[in-house]
Amino acid sequence: VYVCKAQDSQLRWTVRKNITLTVLDRGYVYLWPSGETNISSLVNHTVELKVEVDAHPFPTLAWSRTNQTISMESSSIKTSLLMSHR
């Protein structure tokens, strides 16, 4: 815990604020769907699936279906970095 102290020039007012710093030694990953989790589609129609990820350090992402990694030849996978830090 760090403490910041501010005092006016006439020494009448003093304000202190605590800042708690947590050091992450192993990182973390949070993943959640962006939208519906159950989707129906007609055969041969395109479906867009989205997930949001919050992680440190930057994660490696992979999609799979029935325990098989989805190949880039049969799909289009796009990853967008929305924010690089908090």
Side-chain angles (χ1 to χ4, degrees), residues 12-83:
R12 289 184 298 183
W13 300 99
T14 301
V15 177
R16 288 181 176 85
K17 291 293 180 182
N18 292 345
I19 298 174
T20 303
L21 175 66
T22 304
V23 177
L24 303 172
D25 63 345
R26 296 187 182 185
Y28 65 92
V29 175
Y30 297 108
L31 176 74
W32 58 95
S34 177
E36 294 295 321
T37 56
N38 293 309
I39 300 170
S40 297
S41 174
L42 297 173
V43 174
N44 296 324
H45 280 71
T46 301
V47 176
E48 183 177 77
L49 306 173
K50 290 184 180 183
V51 295
E52 294 182 23
V53 180
D54 182 14
H56 176 79
F58 191 78
T60 300
L61 304 174
W63 286 87
S64 64
R65 181 174 180 262
T66 61
N67 293 327
Q68 299 289 321
T69 301
I70 297 173
S71 70
M72 291 300 291
E73 293 82 37
S74 64
S75 63
S76 172
I77 298 175
K78 181 178 127 182
T79 302
S80 298
L81 178 63
L82 299 179
M83 186 169 43

